[in-house]
Structure formats: structure tokens, C-alpha cells
Amino acid sequence: MLGLTRETQMDKARKTLRNVVSYVEDVTGDERLRADVRDAAIHGAKASEQVRKDLDGDGITTRLADDKKLRKNLRAMLDDLDSAADRVRGKKRHRTRNILVLFGAIAAAFLVARLWLSGRLSDTSPDYTETAPTV
């Protein structure tokens, strides 16, 4: 039917595996991403140690309300994870905007060149009939 072929389960699995491998290669090659994930894990470990102490005691809610250090570690862990997630998602491309800016710059350059040339061509014969004032 119009040259369409059905994709087998094995083909789908191969494609998925290729995507996973390329994703892992990107992640392992990105030093900043690894640093963000590592920092998030460190902050998470610190926060979990502090929480573990409180599970036997007065409870986590009062600890979160009172312990500035725990809140700081949790906030730092979330910031690191956000940064890592942004790196994994990649940069948003602005292809349409860049093309419009390029065409706008070309049009502006064309107009400036046209005005410059039209002004220059009209001034090809200077007017020397005016004499200098005598003092």
C-alpha cells in the first residue's frame, strides 16, 4: 500500500536503543550536567541524613519549619536538579526569529545602499557658481 511498511517490534526496539545510547553519550559527555547531578545527589544525601535523624524524633514538619540548614540543602538540591533538567532538555532554537532578523538586516542594508547611491548619483556635478563672500 503506497510503499508503506509496518515497523516490527524488533525495529522499534532498535530505534529506542539507539535513542537511549545517543542520550547517554550526550549526558556522559556533558561535564556541567554531571556536576549538576552530582551536586544534587550530595545535597540530597545531606538533607536525607538530617531527615533520618528526625524520623525518630519530633517529626519532619517541625524540622523543616525550624531548620534553616535543611531547607537550604533541599533548595540547593532542587536548584541543581532544575539546572540539570534544563541542560538535558537542550536549548530552544529560534530558527524563524533568526531568519526574520536576517531578512530585516538585508532589507535595511539594501535600503541604505539605495539611498546612498541615489544621493551620490544626484550630486555628481557639483555647483561651483556660488562665489566666496568678500571681506
Side-chain angles (χ1 to χ4, degrees):
M1 176 178 187
L2 298 175
L4 296 177
T5 60
R6 245 177 73 187
E7 194 173 28
T8 64
Q9 290 290 79
M10 186 59 85
D11 292 336
K12 289 180 185 177
R14 283 186 187 128
K15 185 188 292 184
T16 302
L17 185 60
R18 274 190 225 113
N19 289 339
V20 168
V21 167
S22 78
Y23 176 75
V24 169
E25 286 174 351
D26 290 344
V27 169
T28 57
D30 190 349
E31 181 62 37
R32 283 180 46 199
L33 176 65
R34 287 195 315 247
D36 287 338
V37 172
R38 182 178 53 245
D39 291 343
I42 290 169
H43 289 116
K46 287 179 184 177
S48 68
E49 286 174 14
Q50 292 173 344
V51 168
R52 198 173 303 127
K53 291 176 187 176
D54 289 335
L55 286 179
D56 296 332
D58 57 352
I60 188 67
T61 54
T62 57
R63 177 71 186 250
L64 274 174
D66 296 336
D67 194 351
K68 289 182 181 181
K69 200 173 191 180
L70 176 61
R71 285 195 313 263
K72 182 180 175 185
N73 280 327
L74 288 173
R75 196 171 296 121
M77 179 186 72
L78 292 175
D79 289 342
D80 291 334
L81 287 175
D82 281 341
S83 176
D86 290 342
R87 300 260 321 148
V88 168
R89 281 189 212 110
K91 295 181 180 177
K92 183 178 178 183
R93 296 183 182 219
H94 300 283
R95 183 177 176 155
T96 306
R97 181 199 65 190
N98 292 342
I99 289 172
L100 288 174
V101 168
L102 177 66
F103 282 134
I106 290 171
F110 177 74
L111 289 174
V112 167
R114 186 172 177 189
L115 291 173
W116 181 73
L117 285 175
S118 67
R120 194 167 174 205
L121 292 176
S122 66
D123 291 338
T124 54
S125 57
D127 186 19
Y128 292 114
T129 58
E130 215 174 287
T131 59
T134 56
V135 183

